[in-house]
């Protein structure tokens, strides 16, 4: 693996303790040029991870705390009438950054959510007939509380589909938590952290990731997974074609992070849960007696080599 | 512990199955002993009882030997040795402590399986023995595998598969292996329970035969079989009277001028005889030639074998239905066929003498007696108990009798009237089996009739029964038995009852045909037949070539199996990559796959394998690299054949490693299992 990537990973691991898998998945998501949704209860380091990513990668990043009264223009920016010049002048909102950290996205009302997601999709903001392109690279790292928490507006499926991956942070292990309790605050570490790579380097890596080989055997495997997900009665809805594409893209960058220039089935399996858990919804528990109970189980029902 | 327990249960089950065929033959005390030993071991497995002290085992073994000696009294019978083997086979349970003991019992089972065929070579016995052997293999599998692999019927399934795989080798060995005659023989116990004709006729003998539905012989005709009334299976000729009964005696040899002329149609057939009590083989009246091992044609016109038949044997015969013999009877012969004891049955003798005075020609005498029989006598399967002068008693008091009564009395009266006569014992009729196109003769078809000498014509067959009960002759025993409802008792009656149930009878016919085929093709496959069969394929085959041929065929079969084990399996619809993958998974031996699940790719399997058995997994590294290069990197420099080669190398090295590992494992001390 090339040195800079390793140092980026080391830097992230030093801040986010005992979450190597999640850190790598998050980085893989960025390398694949996809947006990331982090889901978990408050206080598990979602925001820290997002901040650390921005910091370590040397990207210009902004943070928006979503609440019920955040308006679309608070995100995308607004045109302000400038009396001296008798013109409207566009004031870019926080979305004009390389990493946008959208905290608690499901607390915002649907109108605001969709404005953000539209920007993510188009990579641009349109205001008064003028299109303002977003910077490159551009990532959204959104966090959300588990849906059942009160005062939330769950993201609709169509919008969830725009995120490449969903991550659960989970509680740290006992060892990691002990270190966490005794060492300096993670946020402080983030602030102290210097950039370990440049945006140009990141763009270069993204190009490398796109060059990772996906053999026909792997494409077949992904195809089998996708088709099986549509046939399996355990799911309300199978994977969309975009789901399949996302799976391939994520597998590529996972393989890249493993230092390989080709994808193996293990890469696909490693990112499968993260890529698919927000795209596949299990049927309600009463009618899925006897069917699959987890995505891991689903993977075990599809032949790796056929 | 559970694995070993299940192995022990398997052991008991297979041991019972191996002992079962001997169950009805072995002495009662021994049967009880075997059952007790089994029950004791079962209780021991369940933990209710413990192993008794060594002295109990020693004492019971000596007691068993003693009882066996008392039972047979001589070491010169096979049953003694077989029962000794079975006894020790069971008594081993009294010192069952280690895995090795179970192995020993199971290996002994293979020897016990051979003893089954000493007493019965039928298809049924073979099926029972083979299923017993499968159970024995299942026991060995259960004994040598870990607890996870011995759940439920898994060992039986594996053993069944192994057995089926061995079948081709069995066929090869059967066809090619040289038929060796035994190096030594020990006779079966005297009076072995073969039912059949005796070499003497006391009134009532045939009657007891008629109760039996045991198979006597089966006959395949090359052309259409003759009608039932022509089916007189001549077995032996009784020409002397002794102690009130007809016996074979020693009639003078017919003069050489007498020969059997074949006039009219001849008929060819193959006769497959069951073991008989007498050294005579039934043949269709009148036999002209016979082919078979150690048989000859007696001058009196029947087939004689060198010794009493112990096994099923096959003969090729030719008979002339209308054959007549020469027209001269020597003086000595005439005297022998007229001889009657002086003291017994005076009434019958006087009656015969008076007939000779009243009628001039033998024909007239014969017809008079037959007409008398027809008018006044009753054919019955329930005759009254015979007294001392039984022929007088029958002729002038009861007038109720059976073929033996008619034949014996008729011959007596003929001799008294000065006409040379003799009694013939044999079978009459038989059931035609359309499924197998053969005639089947059972013991209840046993029959007796007479032959009288008519000057100028020769020996003429006269069957008095045919005059009194023609349906017995025309349509066989079944017809007359059905007519005399309730007269027959025992097995034979059940047989005819069964026959009246249409579909069941059809089924029975099919099964009998199969069993006949088995006897003809499998049991009778001796050296002659082997050579004949092989020389149709291989015209100049010599007997000495057989052994190398058998060895070559065996090695070839072994080679095929080995290739089958090592080579990738032939599966339709599976891509080459999938075959590599499946083959690799089989190398894992299932254990690591439990940990990673079915969707595991090669790399993940390799990781799991490496943590479970690093030494084995290291061997697979080369294959895994090649596989990934070829499949996922699509590296053109890695050819498919090099991947296959890597797989083959992996399998070979793995097999060697496991073999040596197992050896090390086995050379450890045996552990106690209970």
């Amino acid at each position: 693996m090339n040195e800079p990537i390793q140092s980026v990973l080391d830097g992230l691991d030093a801040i986010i303790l005992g979450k190597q898998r999640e850190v790598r998945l998050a980085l893989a998501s960025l390398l694949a040029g996809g947006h990331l949704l982090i889901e978990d209860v408050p206080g598990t380091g979602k925001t820290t991870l997002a901040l650390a990513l921005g910091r370590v990668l040397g990207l210009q990043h902004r943070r928006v705390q979503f609440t019920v009264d955040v308006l679309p223009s608070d995100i995308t920016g607004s045109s302000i009438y400038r009396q001296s010049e008798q013109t409207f002048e566009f004031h870019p909102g926080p979305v004009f950054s390389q990493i946008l950290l959208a905290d608690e996205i499901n607390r915002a009302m649907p109108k605001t959510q969709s404005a953000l997601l539209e920007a993510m999709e188009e990579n641009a903001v349109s205001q008064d007939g003028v299109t303002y392109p977003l910077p490159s690279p551009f990532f959204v790292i959104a966090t959300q509380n588990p849906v059942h928490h009160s005062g939330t507006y769950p993201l609709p499926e169509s919008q969830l589909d725009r995120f490449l991956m969903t991550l659960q942070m989970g509680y740290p292990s006992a060892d990691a938590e002990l270190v966490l309790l005794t060492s300096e605050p993670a946020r402080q570490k983030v602030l102290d952290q210097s950039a370990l790579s440049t945006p140009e380097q990141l763009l270069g890596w993204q190009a490398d990731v796109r060059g990772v080989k996906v053999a026909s055997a792997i494409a077949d495997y992904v195809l089998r997974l996708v088709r099986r997900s549509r046939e399996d009665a355990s799911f309300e809805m199978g994977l969309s074609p975009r789901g399949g594409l996302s799976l391939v893209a994520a597998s590529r960058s996972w393989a890249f992070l493993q230092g390989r220039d080709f994808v193996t089935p293990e890469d696909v399996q490693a990112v499968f849960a993260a890529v698919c858990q927000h795209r596949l919804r299990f049927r309600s528990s009463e009618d899925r007696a006897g069917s699959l109970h987890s995505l891991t189980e689903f993977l075990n029902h599809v032949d790796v080599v056929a | 512990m559970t694995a070993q327990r299940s192995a022990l249960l398997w052991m008991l089950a297979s041991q019972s199955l191996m002992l079962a065929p001997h169950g009805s033959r072995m002495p009662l005390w021994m049967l009880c002993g075997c059952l007790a030993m089994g029950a004791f071991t079962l209780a021991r497995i369940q933990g209710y009882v413990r192993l008794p002290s060594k002295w109990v085992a020693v004492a019971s073994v000596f007691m068993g030997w003693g009882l066996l000696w008392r039972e047979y009294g001589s070491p010169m019978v096979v049953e003694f040795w077989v029962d000794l083997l079975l006894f020790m086979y069971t008594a081993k349970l009294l010192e069952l402590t280690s895995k090795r003991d179970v192995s020993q019992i199971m290996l002994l089972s293979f020897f016990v399986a051979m003893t089954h065929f000493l007493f019965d070579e039928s298809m049924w016995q073979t099926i029972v023995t083979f299923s017993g052997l499968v159970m024995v293999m299942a026991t060995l599998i259960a004994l040598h595998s870990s607890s996870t692999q011995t759940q439920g019927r898994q060992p039986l399934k594996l053993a069944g598969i192994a057995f089926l795989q061995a079948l081709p080798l069995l066929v090869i060995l059967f066809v090619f292996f040289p038929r060796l005659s035994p190096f030594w023989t020990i006779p079966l116990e005297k009076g072995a329970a073969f039912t059949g004709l005796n070499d003497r006729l006391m009134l009532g003998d045939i009657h007891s035969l008629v109760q039996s539905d045991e198979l006597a012989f089966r006959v395949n005709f090359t052309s259409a079989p003759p009608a039932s009334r022509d089916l007189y299976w001549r077995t032996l000729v009784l020409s002397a009277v002794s102690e009130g009964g007809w016996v074979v005696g020693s009639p003078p040899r017919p003069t050489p001028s007498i020969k059997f002329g074949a006039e009219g149609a001849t008929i060819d057939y193959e006769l497959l005889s069951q073991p008989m009590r007498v050294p005579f083989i039934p043949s269709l009246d009148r036999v002209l030639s016979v082919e078979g091992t150690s048989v000859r044609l007696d001058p009196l016109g029947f087939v004689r074998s060198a010794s009493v038949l112990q096994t099923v044997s096959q003969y090729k015969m030719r008979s002339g239905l209308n054959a007549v013999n020469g027209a001269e009877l020597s003086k000595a012969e005439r005297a022998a066929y007229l001889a009657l004891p002086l003291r017994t049955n005076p009434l019958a003798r006087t009656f015969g003498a008076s007939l000779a005075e009243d009628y001039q020609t033998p024909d007239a005498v014969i017809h008079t007696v037959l007409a008398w029989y027809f008018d006044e006598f009753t054919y019955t399967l329930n005759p009254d108990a015979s007294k001392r002068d039984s022929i007088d008693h029958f002729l002038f008091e009861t007038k109720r009798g059976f073929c033996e009564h008619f034949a014996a009395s008729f011959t007596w009266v003929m001799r008294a009237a000065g006409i040379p006569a003799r009694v013939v014992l044999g079978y009459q009729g038989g059931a035609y089996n359309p499924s197998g196109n053969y005639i089947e003769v059972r013991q209840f078809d046993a029959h007796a009739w007479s032959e009288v000498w008519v000057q100028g014509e020769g020996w003429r067959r006269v069957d008095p029964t045919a005059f009194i009960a023609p349906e017995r002759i025309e349509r066989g025993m079944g017809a007359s038995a059905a007519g005399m409802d309730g007269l027959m008792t025992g097995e034979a009656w059940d047989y005819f009852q069964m026959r009246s149930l249409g579909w069941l009878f059809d089924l029975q016919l099919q099964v009998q045909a199969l069993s006949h085929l088995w006897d003809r093709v499998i049991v009778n496959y001796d050296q002659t037949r082997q050579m004949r069969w092989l020389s149709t394929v291989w015209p100049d085959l010599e007997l000495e070539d057989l052994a190398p041929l058998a060895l070559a065929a065996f090695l070839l079969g072994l080679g095929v199996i080995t290739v089958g084990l090592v080579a990738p399996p032939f599966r339709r619809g599976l891509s080459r990559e999938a075959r590599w993958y499946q083959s690799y998974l089989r190398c894992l031996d299932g254990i690591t796959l439990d940990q990673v699940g079915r969707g595991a790719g090669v790399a993940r399997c390799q990781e799991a394998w490496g943590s479970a058995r690093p030494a084995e997994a290291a061997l697979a590294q080369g294959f895994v690299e090649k596989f990934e290069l070829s499949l996922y990197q699509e590296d053109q420099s890695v050819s498919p054949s090099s991947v296959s080669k890597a797989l083959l190398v992996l399998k070979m090295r793995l097999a060697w490693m496991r073999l040596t590992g197992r050896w090390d494992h086995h050379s450890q001390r045996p552990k106690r299992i209970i």
Side-chain angles (χ1 to χ4, degrees), chain A residues 96-167:
Chain A
F96 288 88
S97 61
Q98 285 169 316
I99 288 189
L100 173 66
L101 171 56
D103 244 343
E104 303 195 71
I105 191 173
N106 57 344
R107 285 205 184 280
M109 52 187 181
K111 198 176 175 184
T112 313
Q113 290 175 353
S114 72
L116 170 64
L117 295 161
E118 205 181 313
M120 283 160 59
E121 183 68 11
E122 312 286 333
N123 260 332
V125 171
S126 297
Q127 184 89 28
D128 303 329
V130 186
T131 303
Y132 305 96
L134 296 178
S136 175
F138 169 67
F139 301 118
V140 174
I141 300 177
T143 70
Q144 73 171 351
N145 293 321
V147 200
H148 50 80
H149 275 224
S150 57
T152 55
Y153 299 91
L155 292 171
E157 259 117 52
S158 60
Q159 310 218 335
L160 280 175
D161 208 21
R162 302 210 172 124
F163 289 97
L164 179 66
M165 288 188 193
T166 316
L167 287 184

Side-chain angles (χ1 to χ4, degrees), chain B residues 181-203:
Chain B
S181 44
F183 303 118
W184 46 265
T185 49
I186 291 186
L188 285 173
E189 200 184 5
K190 274 285 172 206
F194 299 137
T195 44
L197 294 175
N198 222 332
D199 56 356
R200 54 191 296 120
L201 177 66
M202 304 293 284
L203 291 187

Side-chain angles (χ1 to χ4, degrees), chain B residues 220-301:
Chain B
N220 282 68
F221 288 94
T222 47
S223 51
S228 177
R229 66 169 170 279
D230 287 329
L231 292 173
Y232 278 88
W233 303 102
R234 218 156 165 272
T235 306
L236 60 159
V237 172
L238 308 179
S239 43
V241 183
S242 156
E243 293 167 20
W246 288 93
V247 295
V248 172
S250 48
R253 293 177 62 84
T255 43
S257 65
I258 297 171
K259 48 179 187 277
F260 303 106
E263 286 178 17
T266 59
I267 190 156
D268 291 312
Y269 51 95
E270 261 182 17
L271 187 141
L272 192 69
S273 176
Q274 298 294 312
M276 294 257 170
R277 290 173 79 173
V278 287
F280 300 101
I281 316 297
S283 61
L284 199 56
D285 192 13
R286 180 71 59 92
V287 65
L288 300 175
S289 69
V290 59
E291 271 176 50
T293 43
S294 62
V295 283
R296 63 189 169 87
L297 206 57
D298 190 276
L300 291 178

Side-chain angles (χ1 to χ4, degrees), chain B residues 3-243:
Chain B
Q4 286 151 349
R5 221 188 95 179
S6 76
L8 288 172
L9 291 175
W10 281 112
M11 179 200 72
L12 277 187
S14 43
Q15 217 178 349
S16 327
L17 208 53
M18 285 325 240
L19 287 170
H22 289 291
S24 58
R25 190 194 49 75
M26 63 169 71
L28 189 65
W29 62 264
M30 196 168 139
L31 186 65
C32 296
C34 290
L35 290 175
M37 221 89 83
F40 164 73
T41 311
L42 197 63
R44 232 185 111 205
I45 297 171
Q46 303 292 353
Y48 297 132
V49 287
R50 281 158 170 253
L51 200 63
S53 86
K54 247 181 193 149
W55 296 112
V56 177
V58 170
S60 41
V61 164
F62 276 116
M63 200 174 78
W65 286 1
L67 283 169
L68 269 178
W69 184 258
R70 235 194 67 188
E71 187 77 31
Y72 293 105
S74 149
M76 286 317 287
V77 281
V78 158
E79 283 92 336
F80 173 77
W81 294 104
V82 170
D83 283 352
L84 191 65
L85 170 71
L86 297 180
F87 177 72
M88 299 311 284
Y89 176 60
T90 321
K92 178 76 185 166
L93 289 175
L94 285 179
E95 52 166 27
L96 184 77
T97 49
S98 66
K99 244 181 172 180
R100 190 192 298 183
D101 293 327
V102 182
S103 289
Q104 245 170 36
I105 292 182
M106 286 303 104
L107 296 182
L108 200 56
S109 298
F110 288 99
F111 200 76
V112 170
M114 288 199 299
T115 65
H116 291 166
F117 295 113
L118 287 178
F119 303 98
D120 189 359
E121 293 181 297
S122 71
M123 187 171 63
W124 305 116
Q125 181 59 60
T126 312
I127 292 172
V128 170
T129 307
F130 278 13
S131 27
L133 288 178
V134 172
M135 286 284 268
V136 168
M137 289 198 285
T139 311
L140 288 173
I141 289 170
L143 188 67
H144 290 102
S145 48
S146 63
S147 59
T148 49
Q149 292 165 300
T150 53
Q151 295 301 313
R153 274 169 296 174
Q154 189 63 18
L156 194 61
K157 202 178 134 193
L158 281 175
I161 292 173
F163 182 77
L164 289 181
Q165 285 169 336
L167 274 185
L169 275 187
L170 183 143
V171 172
I172 290 175
L173 284 179
F174 176 80
V175 172
F176 292 104
F177 198 78
R179 292 299 193 261
L180 304 172
S181 44
F183 303 118
W184 46 265
T185 49
I186 291 186
L188 285 173
E189 200 184 5
K190 274 285 172 206
F194 299 137
T195 44
L197 294 175
N198 222 332
D199 56 356
R200 54 191 296 120
L201 177 66
M202 304 293 284
L203 291 187
D205 278 358
I206 293 194
H207 181 243
S208 61
L209 265 190
V210 165
Q211 314 274 345
S212 160
D213 72 343
E214 205 141 309
L215 183 67
F217 56 92
R218 292 185 174 122
V219 186
N220 282 68
F221 288 94
T222 47
S223 51
S228 177
R229 66 169 170 279
D230 287 329
L231 292 173
Y232 278 88
W233 303 102
R234 218 156 165 272
T235 306
L236 60 159
V237 172
L238 308 179
S239 43
V241 183
S242 156
E243 293 167 20

Side-chain angles (χ1 to χ4, degrees), chain B residues 478-532:
Chain B
S480 65
M484 291 185 286
D485 200 21
L487 284 184
M488 268 213 277
T489 49
E491 297 163 342
W493 179 243
D494 297 339
Y495 175 83
F496 287 112
Q497 287 289 305
M498 182 96 108
R499 211 156 139 168
S500 55
L501 290 173
W503 63 269
L504 198 59
F505 184 59
D506 285 347
L507 186 72
Q508 209 187 7
L509 281 185
Q510 304 278 356
V511 173
Q512 282 169 1
L514 199 65
S515 163
H516 178 48
L517 191 74
W518 176 268
D519 284 351
R520 279 176 67 196
V521 177
I522 308 288
V523 179
N524 244 302
Y525 189 75
D526 56 9
Q527 199 175 57
T528 332
R529 257 164 265 270
Q530 183 180 35
M531 288 308 290
R532 195 190 305 159

Side-chain angles (χ1 to χ4, degrees), chain A:
Chain A
M1 198 191 309
N2 63 26
E3 289 292 320
I5 281 277
Q6 190 56 55
S7 66
V8 165
L9 284 173
D10 291 343
L12 287 170
D13 286 340
I15 300 168
I16 319 292
L17 297 168
K19 290 285 165 206
Q20 300 199 341
R21 184 183 150 75
E22 284 72 15
V23 164
R24 273 155 190 75
L25 278 172
L27 190 59
S29 178
L30 298 196
L31 289 177
H35 308 292
L36 181 65
L37 182 64
I38 308 177
E39 255 182 338
D40 220 323
V41 289
T44 45
K46 302 187 292 270
T47 314
T48 313
L49 173 61
L51 288 175
L53 272 171
R55 194 82 191 175
V56 168
L57 291 170
L59 300 176
Q60 172 231 342
H61 58 279
R62 290 215 199 148
R63 177 180 169 185
V64 181
Q65 179 70 43
F66 280 70
T67 54
V68 190
D69 50 0
V70 173
L71 296 172
S73 57
D74 293 340
I75 307 297
T76 57
S78 50
S79 299
I80 293 169
Y81 182 65
R82 181 136 314 179
Q83 239 174 349
S84 57
E85 294 170 29
Q86 303 219 327
T87 51
F88 281 94
E89 191 183 315
F90 182 66
H91 273 246
V95 78
F96 288 88
S97 61
Q98 285 169 316
I99 288 189
L100 173 66
L101 171 56
D103 244 343
E104 303 195 71
I105 191 173
N106 57 344
R107 285 205 184 280
M109 52 187 181
K111 198 176 175 184
T112 313
Q113 290 175 353
S114 72
L116 170 64
L117 295 161
E118 205 181 313
M120 283 160 59
E121 183 68 11
E122 312 286 333
N123 260 332
V125 171
S126 297
Q127 184 89 28
D128 303 329
V130 186
T131 303
Y132 305 96
L134 296 178
S136 175
F138 169 67
F139 301 118
V140 174
I141 300 177
T143 70
Q144 73 171 351
N145 293 321
V147 200
H148 50 80
H149 275 224
S150 57
T152 55
Y153 299 91
L155 292 171
E157 259 117 52
S158 60
Q159 310 218 335
L160 280 175
D161 208 21
R162 302 210 172 124
F163 289 97
L164 179 66
M165 288 188 193
T166 316
L167 287 184
Q168 275 85 31
M169 292 302 288
Y171 293 116
S173 65
D175 292 345
E177 196 154 9
L178 187 66
V179 179
L180 193 74
L181 289 172
T182 50
S183 65
E184 62 171 326
R187 291 294 168 91
Q188 191 56 48
K189 282 198 229 165
V190 174
L191 293 178
D192 295 346
Q193 179 69 50
S194 58
L196 296 170
S197 74
T198 62
E200 289 70 35
Q201 261 181 317
L202 183 60
L203 288 173
W205 290 336
Q206 285 186 341
D208 291 345
V209 164
R210 281 192 294 274
V212 168
K213 174 146 191 110
V214 175
S216 62
I218 294 296
D220 283 343
Y221 179 46
V222 171
L223 187 65
R224 278 197 296 279
L225 286 170
V226 168
R227 298 196 74 89
R228 180 67 194 260
S229 77
R230 291 172 196 163
E231 290 159 7
D232 202 301
S234 310
F235 303 117
E236 277 181 0
M237 202 198 292
L239 288 173
S240 63
R242 177 156 57 190
L245 283 172
S246 307
L247 190 54
V248 171
S251 308
R252 275 197 165 115
S253 56
W254 185 265
F256 178 74
L257 284 181
Q258 307 298 313
R260 263 186 281 107
D261 60 351
F262 61 95
V263 177
T264 67
E266 285 71 32
D267 299 329
V268 180
Q269 291 172 347
V271 298
F272 184 80
V275 172
C276 298
Q277 62 184 330
H278 58 288
R279 299 170 206 264
L280 288 171
R281 200 182 323 151
F282 283 108
R283 286 187 194 280
S284 58
S285 52
E286 39 298 357
D287 23 292
R288 65 184 164 101
S291 63
L292 303 176
H293 291 85
S294 72
L295 291 175
T296 326
E297 208 178 327
F298 174 74
L299 281 177
N300 274 339
H301 277 78
V302 180
D303 288 325
V304 179
V305 184

